[in-house]
Each structure stands twice: as C-alpha cells, then as structure tokens.
Amino acid sequence: MQFDLRQLARNGGDDHLDRTFQPAQFDTPEAKDEDYAVVAPVHLVLDVHKDRDAYRVTGRVQTRLRLECGRCLEPFEIPVDSVFELRYVPAPANAGPGPAHHGHGEVVEAEVAEDDLTTAYYKNETLDLGELVHEQFVLALPMKPLCSDACKGLCPSCGTNLNKGTCDCKPAWKDPRLEALQGILDRNKES
Ligand SMILES: [Zn+2]
Ligand SMILES: [Zn+2]
C-alpha cells in the first residue's frame, strides 16, 4: 500500500489514483490493537499534486468497519465515506527510523501556517497509503461506539445482554421519591 512519488514526476507533477484494497491487507499484527476491523473492500481515490517538495493530496475513502458496542460489547458495522485534503511534507531528518510521526509536530505546524491543511509526512519518496487510510478511519470512528442509541447494555450484576433478554437482578439504585412514598404507604397500612 505504497505510492511511489517519483512516478509523479514522469506524469508532469499530477496523478490520479483509484485503488481497491481487500480487508485482508489490513489484517496486520499492528491492526490487532485497533478499535476497528475492516470488513469490506477499501475504495481509495486520490489526486496528488506536487508543490515544490510538498504534495497536496485530496481524496476519498469508502469502506465498512466493524466496531464493538461500548455498552453491550456486541460487534456492529458502520459505513465510512470520508473526503480529505492533506499536505505531505518530507519527514524531518531527525525523526530516525520507525513509524513516521504524523499530525501535529510543532516544527511542521509552524512551517505550514499559511493554510489549514492537515500535515502528514512522506519518506523515501513514498506515500504510505495504509497509514493515510488508517488516519481517516480513526477520524471516522464515533466518540462513543454504540450498536444503537437505544442499546440497553449489559446487566451490571449478571452480565445478561438486556437487548436480548431479561434477568431477575434488582436495579442497584432506588428512587428516593419512591422510597418516601413507600414510607407513607407503610404508615397508612399500620394505622
Ligand atoms: Zn450495544
Ligand atoms: Zn442481571
């Protein structure tokens, strides 16, 4: 999932890409730590425009992701259809080996103050499309993943999925207003 930027020079500084990646291509060891799994082909469309030693990249990524519900822990899927505009600049020489540091490096932010584009880095004259797509997925994830707004979650006592069944556990809390009412009823009974 790499795009060779040297190819761009041969095309006069602009290039259009239309690629589809299979879910299995995202099934890497690092992906085990992610909060999502890719469950449909990933369709990526990109326009790359060379601007001195930077590259302006606009595009769109579409797929489906599987997430885990934060309340009932059941898997569910969301569609992803994200458009993005990024500026790729050369990775700082002192970044060293290892994964490219993306996003909010202070040095780069000062350099690109003339526009609001999100900054990413390229190395070895190559755009890492896997990293690009990953960043878009992270941005597309909901703050609180829920299978449904109405998800009832799990019983805190016995773990029953309350969307699928009921249990005999009593709610741990009591409404103080009802408690007061119960007191009145009890007194009336006594008299
Ligand atoms: Zn749920
Ligand atoms: Zn229960």
Side-chain angles (χ1 to χ4, degrees), residues 69 72 147 151 163:
C69 175
C72 71
C147 63
C151 175
N163 301 310

Side-chain angles (χ1 to χ4, degrees), residues 3-186:
F3 176 68
D4 186 349
L5 291 165
R6 284 166 299 196
Q7 186 183 320
L8 211 62
R10 284 177 234 132
N11 295 346
D14 286 293
D15 209 348
H16 179 79
L17 247 92
D18 193 324
R19 289 195 194 170
T20 301
F21 303 108
Q22 295 307 312
Q25 292 179 263
F26 296 89
D27 197 8
T28 58
E30 305 87 67
K32 303 264 183 289
D33 299 330
E34 302 300 343
D35 295 333
Y36 64 80
V38 178
V39 290
V42 176
H43 186 205
L44 177 67
V45 179
L46 278 189
D47 278 294
V48 185
H49 172 71
K50 185 168 166 54
D51 182 11
R52 282 176 290 179
D53 63 346
Y55 294 87
R56 187 176 285 242
V57 175
T58 56
R60 179 176 186 181
V61 60
Q62 294 164 292
T63 188
R64 293 183 67 79
L65 301 180
R66 187 173 59 225
L67 312 179
E68 184 181 83
C69 175
R71 282 187 200 151
C72 71
L73 310 182
E74 290 288 322
F76 69 102
E77 293 182 11
I78 58 165
V80 172
D81 185 353
S82 302
V83 293
F84 52 86
E85 185 166 8
L86 303 168
R87 171 201 288 268
Y88 275 84
V89 299
N94 60 3
H101 176 78
H102 278 255
H104 308 291
E106 283 158 45
V107 179
V108 172
E109 247 165 15
E111 273 176 29
V112 297
E114 71 261 28
D115 61 38
D116 293 331
L117 293 188
T118 303
T119 298
Y121 297 113
Y122 68 88
K123 280 197 299 196
N124 307 323
E125 297 302 312
T126 307
L127 293 189
D128 185 340
L129 300 182
E131 183 64 29
L132 185 159
V133 165
H134 167 72
E135 298 267 323
Q136 296 308 312
F137 290 167
V138 170
L139 291 171
L141 296 181
M143 293 280 281
K144 191 167 168 52
L146 291 178
C147 63
S148 135
D149 284 340
C151 175
K152 298 191 186 89
L154 303 177
C155 169
S157 306
C158 72
T160 295
N161 183 340
L162 299 173
N163 301 310
K164 292 180 175 171
T166 53
C167 61
D168 296 325
C169 303
K170 299 254 172 9
W173 49 269
K174 268 187 178 172
D175 188 324
R177 288 165 302 182
L178 290 182
E179 237 170 335
L181 189 65
Q182 190 63 48
I184 294 165
L185 291 173
D186 288 346

